[in-house]
Amino acid sequence: VSDIAADQIYSGGLSNTAEHLILKDSSGNIIDEVDCSSGWFISLNRGESMERMNPAGDGSDSSNWAKNNGVERNGLDANGTPINGTPKAQNSVFIGSGGGDTGVVTSSITLTLSTKIFYPMGDVLGKPSTVQILWNVPTGTVLNLKVFNLKGSSVRILVKNKDINTSQDGSSGVLWDGKDNSGNTLPPGIYIVYLEVLNTDTGKRDVVKKCIVIGRKL
């Protein structure tokens, strides 16, 4: 990374297939650990970064990792090209601890999901087959709402460049049926609902993310 100074330089090399990483303090106490001894959790292309979703979560839990979403990036490579990573900045797939709550608030922006898990195939009696995604954002903003998989790929664009001109627009939402942009039902797994709000006056951009699980009857 050409434009961001490193806090520490690691002189060794990392395997392209698997590693078991342990971070210790000066007294030898383990601070953090990522056990990928059976293989890296995420398959990456050259120039992509594997990012931790919840810093407080288990570093050796494969479901707590995803690749950079390609939208939020920080830093340039030796050729001055933006890297697909976020050194010294919040990870692009950051979701926080969540505390089990389906609502997330960032400044004056609220993102709420009607359920934590839903079953688009409708194969589980009494369980929801859709999820209602609600937002509360200020007027004078532009809203985008997408869904990403854990590989960092955008799988569904739910709202694109929506102008929020009235309070009614600012307190609204959409219903997601668990399908991708091609109309295919997505496979079971964890997905990230990604809300981006741009203030047209100040240029400030706020992002709120929340996990949702697509389930299927075993």
Side-chain angles (χ1 to χ4, degrees):
V1 182
S2 62
D3 61 334
I4 299 176
D7 293 322
Q8 188 76 28
I9 301 295
Y10 176 64
S11 58
L14 295 177
S15 168
N16 288 327
T17 56
E19 288 285 357
H20 186 179
L21 306 175
I22 299 176
L23 179 65
K24 298 181 179 180
D25 62 18
S26 58
S27 300
N29 300 309
I30 295 178
I31 300 174
D32 204 354
E33 183 175 5
V34 179
D35 187 359
C36 290
S37 55
S38 297
W40 294 109
F41 297 142
I42 305 296
S43 177
L44 301 172
N45 297 316
R46 184 177 179 84
E48 293 178 330
S49 299
M50 189 174 83
E51 297 183 355
R52 196 168 181 167
M53 297 167 62
N54 181 359
D58 186 357
S60 296
D61 180 1
S62 61
S63 66
N64 195 29
W65 292 86
K67 73 176 182 180
N68 180 272
N69 63 21
V71 177
E72 295 175 80
R73 300 185 290 179
N74 189 48
L76 305 173
D77 64 15
N79 297 318
T81 303
I83 64 171
N84 289 314
T86 54
K88 291 195 175 181
Q90 180 173 287
N91 285 343
S92 68
V93 294
F94 173 81
I95 60 171
S97 60
D101 188 4
T102 55
V104 175
V105 179
T106 297
S107 63
S108 58
I109 298 172
T110 303
L111 173 65
T112 304
L113 309 181
S114 61
T115 183
K116 299 175 185 177
I117 180 170
F118 69 114
Y119 300 83
M121 298 295 291
D123 52 357
V124 179
L125 187 64
K127 298 295 184 179
S129 59
T130 59
V131 57
Q132 190 174 25
I133 304 172
L134 304 173
W135 63 75
N136 195 322
V137 304
T139 56
T141 57
V142 176
L143 182 148
N144 286 283
L145 184 66
K146 302 178 182 180
V147 180
F148 288 85
N149 61 23
L150 288 185
K151 293 181 179 180
S153 301
S154 173
V155 294
R156 182 67 185 269
I157 298 175
L158 295 168
V159 181
K160 184 176 181 180
N161 295 332
K162 179 179 178 64
D163 290 317
I164 306 299
N165 297 317
T166 67
S167 57
Q168 183 176 359
D169 291 335
S171 298
S172 188
V174 295
L175 199 66
W176 183 39
D177 56 7
K179 294 181 179 180
D180 63 16
N181 290 321
S182 299
N184 302 311
T185 300
L186 289 162
I190 301 173
Y191 293 85
I192 301 170
V193 179
Y194 180 97
L195 174 67
E196 178 188 58
V197 180
L198 175 67
N199 187 306
T200 54
D201 291 329
T202 65
K204 180 183 178 183
R205 184 173 67 98
D206 283 303
V207 172
V208 183
K209 287 166 272 190
K210 189 66 182 176
C211 276
I212 184 70
V213 176
I214 289 181
R216 185 169 296 173
K217 185 177 181 180
L218 298 177

